[in-house]
Amino acid sequence: MHAALKLIHHRFQQAQPGVTGSPGLATQPSRTATVTVVPGSTPLVLDSPHSGTRYPDDFGSALDLATLRRAEDTHVEKIYAFAPALGVAWVEAHFPRIYLDANRDTTELDTSLLDGDWPDPISTDPKVLSKVRLGKGLIWKFTDQGEPIYQRQLTVAEVRARIDRCWRPYHAAVAQAIDAAHARHGYSIHLNCHSMPAVAGRFATEFPGLEHADFVVGDRDGTTASPALSALICEHLRACGYSVEYNHPYKGVELVRRYGNPAQRRHSIQVEINRKLYMDEQTLAQMPEGMARLQADLKALVQRLLAHDPR
């Protein structure tokens, strides 16, 4: 976590899975927080559900850590480290996306991963199931390149425990931050912060091999935010010299779907950043010039949103 966040973060949940153990081992999770929350004073809330790097001891994956880490939205929390100083609420997951994906609903589960019957609801929506079929449900089955993550079946109890320790506190934190922003100002703007590979992997999306733009801005076709607000973000980024796609190939998933409601002046927008802009995708090393440029341009975007009333 960025040093500035360490000084002001709030431990949202205790009794959580801890820092990495050896892949392939299934042991009891250690006790550490899975979510950091920095309260804000403005209408703006930012969250990063996929940049977590604390690999729990109970993961039990068959893959090595270097392979698992390619699923992370690496360094996203560092890109937006300026936000809390501007009064922006910040929510950050520390558990890895490949362990549990907080940007999926709990109904988006591939039950073939389990050693028993799942007692809770499962989605039947074909659009939702398209991602599950790719191995990208609540619990991932495959990496973006199609590598099986487990050489075992998971128990119903351990999946439920992941939901309780990770998914529920993360969603509670995002919901509370948005509710607080909305109560203070009469509206809220929520940016769901992500990164994406330069080229889509074979099992990543429905567009394998697609060369991504510098940014993809998604509001689920105008259903989770005012299209005018999304257009403002696209316009700002293009003026900074970036290529920008709108709702393709990423429209936004569970976090914007669940918390965006423009009719209630709750605007949620997913922002994807191409990793080639700021890091080496093989070594995960930051590229200082690209990182500095991104931080400056995104800070200017956040300041513009803080000055903009979408009502």
Side-chain angles (χ1 to χ4, degrees):
M1 193 197 317
H2 188 273
L5 297 186
K6 286 184 178 179
L7 296 174
I8 54 179
H9 80 279
H10 167 64
R11 294 292 188 185
F12 186 80
Q13 171 92 357
Q14 299 299 322
Q16 306 297 343
V19 182
T20 182
S22 300
L25 298 179
T27 60
Q28 290 299 311
S30 57
R31 295 173 63 88
T32 187
T34 58
V35 183
T36 282
V37 180
V38 182
S41 58
T42 70
L44 193 56
V45 175
L46 271 60
D47 85 290
S48 178
H50 289 162
S51 58
T53 59
R54 297 180 184 172
Y55 285 75
D57 292 335
D58 68 341
F59 194 170
S61 168
L63 300 177
D64 61 84
L65 183 60
T67 301
L68 294 172
R69 290 208 63 194
R70 294 193 189 104
E72 297 169 9
D73 283 359
T74 310
H75 305 313
V76 163
E77 81 288 356
K78 300 178 185 71
I79 293 172
Y80 292 97
F82 61 82
L86 298 176
V88 174
W90 173 259
V91 181
E92 175 187 345
H94 298 300
F95 54 88
R97 165 200 207 177
I98 204 167
Y99 176 76
L100 177 135
D101 192 338
N103 204 25
R104 301 290 168 196
D105 188 33
T106 56
T107 64
E108 297 179 51
L109 182 64
D110 184 341
T111 56
S112 70
L113 282 166
L114 306 179
D115 70 351
D117 294 332
W118 184 249
D120 301 323
I122 293 292
S123 177
T124 58
D125 184 336
K127 291 183 179 179
V128 169
L129 294 177
S130 69
K131 293 296 290 187
V132 173
R133 284 193 294 269
L134 288 171
K136 297 301 187 300
L138 176 73
I139 306 294
W140 281 28
K141 187 174 184 178
F142 301 113
T143 68
D144 282 353
Q145 298 306 321
E147 301 149 299
I149 295 167
Y150 301 98
Q151 289 182 348
R152 66 185 182 95
Q153 288 191 300
L154 281 64
T155 68
V156 169
E158 71 179 304
V159 172
R160 278 183 144 179
R162 292 186 191 189
I163 292 170
D164 289 341
R165 293 194 305 262
C166 301
W167 193 95
R168 295 192 195 284
Y170 191 81
H171 276 260
V174 172
Q176 289 174 13
I178 292 172
D179 285 347
H182 191 275
R184 283 192 303 267
H185 299 279
Y187 69 94
S188 59
I189 299 174
H190 164 222
L191 297 187
N192 183 226
C193 304
H194 295 267
S195 70
M196 58 188 171
V199 179
R202 292 187 302 120
F203 284 74
T205 71
E206 295 178 354
F207 305 95
L210 178 68
E211 294 187 12
H212 291 135
D214 294 333
F215 282 85
V216 177
V217 176
D219 60 11
R220 296 180 67 89
D221 297 319
T223 62
T224 66
S226 160
L229 185 60
S230 298
L232 181 152
I233 293 173
C234 293
E235 171 201 326
H236 174 91
L237 294 171
R238 289 180 181 127
C240 291
Y242 300 108
S243 59
V244 182
E245 291 285 350
Y246 178 42
N247 283 317
H248 177 75
Y250 303 108
K251 295 179 184 291
V253 198
E254 181 62 15
L255 283 154
V256 297
R257 186 201 69 80
R258 184 174 287 258
Y259 302 112
N261 189 335
Q264 295 181 359
R265 298 172 180 169
R266 295 170 181 262
H267 305 277
S268 287
I269 298 169
Q270 181 173 291
V271 178
E272 295 269 3
I273 305 172
N274 195 316
R275 293 174 197 150
K276 72 178 182 181
L277 296 174
Y278 67 90
M279 64 178 276
D280 183 313
E281 292 190 70
Q282 297 305 310
T283 67
L284 309 186
Q286 296 181 50
M287 298 189 299
E289 289 185 7
M291 179 69 79
R293 179 194 174 194
L294 267 179
Q295 288 175 319
D297 292 338
L298 289 169
K299 183 175 182 179
L301 171 62
V302 165
Q303 290 171 323
R304 185 171 178 182
L305 290 173
L306 292 174
H308 178 77
D309 189 332
R311 289 175 289 187

